[in-house]
Amino acid sequence: QVRLVESGGRSVQAGGSLRLSCAASGYTYVSNCMGWVRQAPGKEREVVASISTSGGITYYADSVKGRFTISHDNDVKTVYLRMDSLKPEDTAMYYCAASLNVRWYRCTIGIEFDYWGQGTQVTVSS
């Protein structure tokens, strides 16, 4: 059973930084697509970043380019999202998501993920 468990969300002042973590388990595929998706109240869900675990190719939403960095540690099956220069508009529930056995060229910002974590709240105050 695939399981994704997020951590690291909290309240922070604008301009600050956070690192979210997502511990994944329950699968053995090596070539996967992992991502972070956020949703704020009353807003559409937004894929903010994705990463192919075979090759490390990354994609970012325009709204976070240059501020967020996604990374993956294959040894511990953990995905990270480093968030710098946080803005109040980054406030949202952040979900870790995954699709397994995916070729690297299919792991883009437009991918539909198959598995989801429970989410971790990020609140940025001005």
Side-chain angles (χ1 to χ4, degrees):
Q1 178 177 339
V2 177
R3 191 163 181 240
L4 304 172
V5 180
E6 304 97 332
S7 61
R10 62 177 176 87
S11 295
V12 65
Q13 295 278 352
S17 298
L18 282 177
R19 189 179 81 158
L20 305 183
S21 299
C22 170
S25 61
Y27 61 90
T28 57
Y29 294 113
V30 175
S31 179
N32 307 303
C33 184
M34 310 293 292
W36 288 94
V37 182
R38 69 184 181 186
Q39 187 162 26
K43 293 189 177 180
E44 294 285 324
R45 193 166 59 185
E46 178 185 26
V47 179
V48 296
S50 65
I51 184 168
S52 170
T53 60
S54 61
I57 305 298
T58 58
Y59 286 93
Y60 296 94
D62 288 342
S63 57
V64 306
K65 275 181 185 174
R67 300 188 299 121
F68 289 13
T69 303
I70 188 171
S71 60
H72 181 260
D73 186 333
N74 283 333
D75 290 339
V76 293
K77 285 185 179 175
T78 300
V79 184
Y80 304 98
L81 185 69
R82 171 73 183 189
M83 304 185 292
D84 296 314
S85 302
L86 282 162
K87 304 176 181 179
E89 50 263 44
D90 294 319
T91 295
M93 185 70 81
Y94 283 73
Y95 298 91
C96 178
S99 286
L100 305 181
N101 199 24
V102 172
R103 302 285 183 104
W104 65 267
Y105 51 84
R106 296 191 182 279
C107 184
T108 68
I109 208 71
I111 191 169
E112 293 285 339
F113 291 107
D114 298 313
Y115 300 96
W116 296 81
Q118 82 287 353
T120 186
Q121 178 69 36
V122 172
T123 302
V124 184
S125 58
S126 57

